[in-house]
Amino acid sequence: MKLYYSPGACSLSPHIALLEADLPYELVKVDIRAKKLENGEDFLKVNPKGQVPALGLDSGEIVTEGPVIVQMIADQASAKGLAPARDSSERYKLLEWLNFLTSEVHKSFGPLFSPVLADDAKAFFKDRVMGKLEYVDGQLAGRDYLMGKQFTVADGYLFTMLTWAERLKFDLSALTNLLAYKARVAARPKVQEALKREGLAQAA
């Protein structure tokens, strides 16, 4: 498999999943602004959406959208417990988390990286993200991970966004459950390996 990624972007989530799953893969770096691969090829020919992550399968098929990619990875290594069994009530709870993270948290983060968005607009989105993170902090009370004791692909996704919060200098000091959670996920060897491979070890 080939993972098309940009360092520190949301593609970090499937990168963590691949390592946690112990699946073989190749990393292909993408310049998102230029829409080019490292070898100069047009990324839009790989993914016309122009976004990472994209996962190239051995069949030649390209799969996009992070929440789908991480479930595919988890299902290929079901013994690792990165996702509950298909059709189980717990699987739907995982889907609930993945949908919340992608539609409510991720999409609110996006504008904060815009070089042209006005400061007052960024303040609006930052407040919105903080509200979502406060909710997550409450849900993490008494839990090691989002689903309880077991690390899942949803945790790799949330952790990725917590590195963004750090980069954007969010004050998370009042969210003690979330901070303890971030440290717990960051301490996982495979998470550290993903950060190092992307040149992001300091983000942990």
Side-chain angles (χ1 to χ4, degrees):
M1 291 185 287
K2 290 183 179 180
L3 177 64
Y4 294 86
Y5 83 106
S6 181
C10 52
S11 45
L12 177 61
S13 172
H15 192 181
I16 291 169
L18 283 164
L19 287 166
E20 290 278 357
D22 286 327
L23 293 174
Y25 69 97
E26 177 187 344
L27 274 180
V28 182
K29 192 174 181 180
V30 179
D31 182 333
I32 290 298
R33 292 187 185 279
K35 310 298 182 191
K36 297 286 186 185
L37 306 181
E38 276 190 300
N39 63 7
E41 291 181 7
D42 184 1
F43 178 54
L44 293 174
K45 290 182 178 178
V46 176
N47 181 12
K49 297 175 182 176
Q51 300 169 328
V52 293
L55 187 68
L57 305 182
D58 295 340
S59 65
E61 182 183 358
I62 299 291
V63 181
T64 63
E65 303 302 329
V68 174
I69 291 171
V70 295
Q71 289 182 81
M72 177 178 284
I73 291 167
D75 287 338
Q76 288 189 32
S78 56
K80 297 289 185 178
L82 295 172
R86 295 175 185 174
D87 299 325
S88 67
S89 61
E90 286 296 290
R91 183 58 169 254
Y92 292 115
K93 177 58 72 173
L94 176 72
L95 287 170
E96 184 180 334
W97 272 119
L98 288 171
N99 277 277
F100 174 78
L101 292 172
T102 197
S103 64
E104 298 295 331
V105 186
H106 189 166
K107 289 305 178 187
S108 295
F109 259 112
L112 298 176
F113 291 105
S114 171
V116 297
L117 197 67
D119 287 346
D120 57 345
K122 286 187 177 181
F124 167 81
F125 284 105
K126 191 169 186 177
D127 286 346
R128 188 167 182 170
V129 171
M130 281 299 297
K132 306 301 180 185
L133 294 181
E134 286 167 5
Y135 164 77
V136 176
D137 181 76
Q139 293 296 303
L140 284 169
R143 297 185 189 181
D144 289 339
Y145 300 107
L146 289 172
M147 296 287 290
K149 294 292 184 185
Q150 178 66 35
F151 176 91
T152 69
V153 292
D155 296 300
Y157 195 8
L158 175 57
F159 175 79
T160 295
M161 288 186 278
L162 292 177
T163 68
W164 299 347
E166 182 176 349
R167 196 187 320 169
L168 294 166
K169 296 183 168 45
F170 275 57
D171 180 6
L172 302 180
S173 58
L175 306 183
T176 54
N177 295 327
L178 196 64
L179 288 177
Y181 165 88
K182 180 175 183 287
R184 190 176 302 118
V185 176
R188 295 178 68 86
K190 299 296 188 180
V191 173
Q192 282 296 313
E193 186 177 347
L195 291 169
K196 287 173 184 172
R197 289 192 182 191
E198 295 195 17
L200 302 166
Q202 71 280 2

